[in-house]
Amino acid sequence: MIATINPATNEKLQVFEPLSVAELDLRIARAWAAFLTYRRTSLAERAACMVRAAEILESEKQRFGRLMTLEMGKPLKSAAEEAAKCALGCRYYAENAGRFLADEPVDAGAAASFIRYQPIGPVLAVMPWNFPFWQVFRFLAPALMAGNVGLLKHSSNVPQCALAIEDIVRRAGFPADVFQTLLIGSELVPRVIDDRRVKAVTLTGSEPAGRKVASQAAGQIKKTVLELGGSDPFIVMPGADLDLAVATGVQARLVNNGQSCIAAKRFIVDQRIAAGFESRFVAAMEGVRVGDPMEEATQLGPLATGAILEELHRQVERSVAMGARILTGGHRLDRPGNYYAPTVLTDIPAASPAYCEEFFGPVAILFRVDGADEAIRIANDTAFGLGASVWTNDVVERERFINEIESGLVFVNGMVASDPRLPFGGVKNSGYGRELGADGIREFVNVKTVVVKS
């Protein structure tokens, strides 16, 4: 079902009719026809449209924020900030795509030799609900600036966000069909991937979804970029600013109601400061204001769906049954909607869900360790490798963590976040490829070698 269901109340607000197979095929045909013309537009033309998209996002960020909050429950303030961040991404690629895609001369002993970056065609983006605008725009902006066209299969619980993004692109002046939202279920995604006119796929989502899409695309010899789950470590060493680490840690665990791949999930604390960190961290989690995400003062809203709430609680219950200890929370909140109490678990058994799985909600997992060696071992003892936050003022420790933690991002004395200027992506089961930065715009281009002998 493709529908808007308010996660704060579980009220079904609007249901959308999915595209038929014939309608889907027509959309793909229109995307291909659009590409044949759009690939010849100048970077200046594309940039002008991209700047207009940024202006729309900035001027209407409150409206877009309310739409995000209505469909997936994030606090309104952070939702409006998400729309503004999308504008920042649009402006970044409008300003820098020319530099990233410029011909690169190479001295190869010929009259001329260089590398040229050219668009490849329609790219399918399979996107998640948790950052319903930002996840799309961090694909959309570089893809369209490179001369590709986009087909969006968004999560079925954020259809109004998906349609709003398509409308922004249209209002910004991009040619017709350069970016289209496909209101389809997951069962039709293989059909899109198999279509010869669709040249590549990018997916942000779960590990099982990534495996399925990547396997399908591999069968057609099509490139994929995957940004999957994460179980990010948040390591705190004795030299850290403890108050700042606690305050940032709570924010990093509860960002987006705890539903972020790069949220801090495993708090790995040196035993010399663990008691002080634990008491302050638990108190701060207990002081979080839970409520209606439309209210400005709310810090933690509902989980996006009832199924996510049920799965999170099952993970907590299984972990406790295996020996984990609840320091606070560990239960649903008795109110309408998909609310879960801010939770801290410790004494984590090695085989429990809390040790092995990604928790997508406001549950922090606390480990005590004996020094940097054990911190690195536990940080790396996961199938995931997306981000990591390290808190230390010791230069030697810092270099060890940067070099030895297996992740795509390491932030020192700060919270992990995405930034249009920096490549974003993971290793291990967190996926492959990169979004954002120069790497992001070059993922879906033909890197063409040109040699002119005379």
Side-chain angles (χ1 to χ4, degrees):
M1 180 176 62
I2 300 174
T4 298
I5 300 174
N6 185 348
T9 63
N10 280 327
E11 179 186 4
K12 186 184 296 182
L13 301 176
Q14 192 171 354
V15 177
F16 293 80
E17 187 68 26
L19 295 176
S20 68
V21 170
E23 289 170 328
L24 174 60
D25 290 346
L26 178 61
R27 294 292 192 97
I28 296 172
R30 285 161 48 187
W32 178 251
F35 170 67
L36 295 179
T37 300
Y38 182 67
R39 65 182 176 180
R40 295 187 173 90
T41 58
S42 68
L43 278 166
E45 291 175 277
R46 300 171 200 166
C49 294
M50 196 63 69
V51 169
R52 284 195 290 271
E55 292 168 348
I56 293 169
L57 286 158
E58 290 162 346
S59 64
E60 301 179 33
K61 65 180 182 180
Q62 291 298 328
R63 180 171 77 86
F64 297 135
R66 290 185 67 84
L67 192 58
M68 289 183 241
T69 298
L70 180 70
E71 291 204 301
M72 56 73 56
K74 70 174 66 203
L76 181 57
K77 182 176 183 292
S78 65
E81 290 171 350
E82 180 174 332
K85 185 173 183 177
C86 293
L88 184 67
C90 290
R91 291 187 184 279
Y92 175 76
Y93 280 106
E95 294 168 3
N96 292 284
R99 177 165 58 90
F100 296 151
L101 300 174
D103 288 352
E104 291 185 11
V106 178
D107 185 1
S113 46
F114 56 91
I115 300 165
R116 176 160 292 173
Y117 300 99
Q118 295 181 307
I120 57 173
V123 180
L124 172 64
V126 181
M127 291 290 115
W129 48 263
N130 57 337
F131 292 92
F133 268 56
W134 173 237
Q135 300 280 11
V136 177
F137 273 94
R138 74 188 196 190
F139 151 75
L140 183 161
L144 268 57
M145 284 304 303
N148 295 313
V149 305
L151 292 167
L152 170 64
K153 191 286 180 206
H154 217 325
S155 184
S156 294
N157 63 321
V158 290
Q160 293 190 59
C161 289
L163 292 169
I165 294 168
E166 181 183 67
D167 188 58
I168 290 169
V169 175
R170 179 190 60 79
R171 291 164 57 197
F174 284 96
D177 302 322
V178 162
F179 184 87
Q180 297 179 71
T181 284
L182 307 177
L183 291 183
I184 59 174
S186 58
E187 73 281 357
L188 284 181
V189 169
R191 185 179 185 90
V192 182
I193 295 173
D194 285 349
D195 194 292
R196 61 180 177 78
R197 295 164 295 190
V198 176
K199 301 303 182 183
V201 189
T202 180
L203 177 141
T204 298
S206 68
E207 185 183 344
R211 290 182 185 277
K212 188 172 182 179
V213 164
S215 297
Q216 185 78 27
Q220 300 298 323
I221 318 179
K222 293 181 181 179
K223 185 175 184 179
T224 51
V225 168
L226 303 180
E227 194 267 279
L228 308 178
S231 188
D232 286 11
F234 189 101
I235 300 171
V236 187
M237 300 302 290
D241 181 330
L242 202 57
D243 288 333
L244 182 59
V246 168
T248 306
V250 172
Q251 180 187 4
R253 175 60 279 209
L254 300 184
V255 62
N256 209 43
N257 299 338
Q259 301 163 121
S260 171
C261 295
I262 54 169
K265 299 185 177 81
R266 297 177 298 138
F267 292 80
I268 302 169
V269 186
D270 190 286
Q271 63 181 2
R272 289 167 286 182
I273 55 167
F277 180 91
E278 178 183 299
S279 62
R280 296 183 217 187
F281 187 77
V282 169
M285 289 283 278
E286 292 173 340
V288 169
R289 184 182 177 93
V290 182
D292 183 346
M294 289 292 186
E295 294 181 1
E296 192 70 22
T298 294
Q299 296 172 286
L300 182 68
L303 298 178
T305 69
I308 294 168
L309 173 67
E310 293 299 327
E311 174 58 22
L312 182 70
H313 190 53
R314 281 195 295 268
Q315 289 175 303
V316 170
E317 287 186 316
R318 293 201 309 269
S319 297
V320 171
M322 295 177 71
R325 181 163 55 95
I326 298 174
L327 297 178
T328 188
H331 56 85
R332 304 176 185 86
L333 294 179
D334 186 16
R335 58 183 296 165
N338 308 319
Y339 289 89
Y340 202 79
T343 298
V344 182
L345 301 179
T346 193
D347 298 340
I348 310 300
S352 68
Y355 194 96
C356 304
E357 299 175 9
E358 178 180 25
F359 276 42
F360 223 55
V363 178
I365 300 160
L366 182 61
F367 296 86
R368 296 187 179 207
V369 296
D370 186 15
D373 287 344
E374 190 178 7
I376 292 168
R377 180 184 64 78
I378 291 177
N380 290 339
D381 193 13
T382 173
F384 299 108
L386 190 52
S389 181
V390 177
W391 292 76
T392 178
N393 287 309
D394 183 294
V395 175
V396 175
E397 281 182 348
R398 182 187 69 192
E399 287 302 305
R400 278 203 67 193
F401 289 128
I402 290 171
N403 287 330
E404 297 181 30
I405 290 178
E406 298 164 354
S407 65
L409 307 93
V410 175
F411 280 57
V412 179
N413 297 331
M415 177 175 142
V416 177
S418 58
D419 184 313
R421 298 166 293 186
L422 299 171
F424 183 93
V427 296
K428 303 197 294 191
N429 287 9
S430 289
Y432 51 75
R434 292 295 180 266
E435 298 175 291
L436 304 177
D439 298 87
I441 199 170
R442 291 177 178 172
E443 285 285 3
F444 297 121
V445 294
N446 176 15
V447 183
K448 180 180 286 185
T449 296
V450 180
V451 177
V452 180
K453 287 294 186 178
S454 61

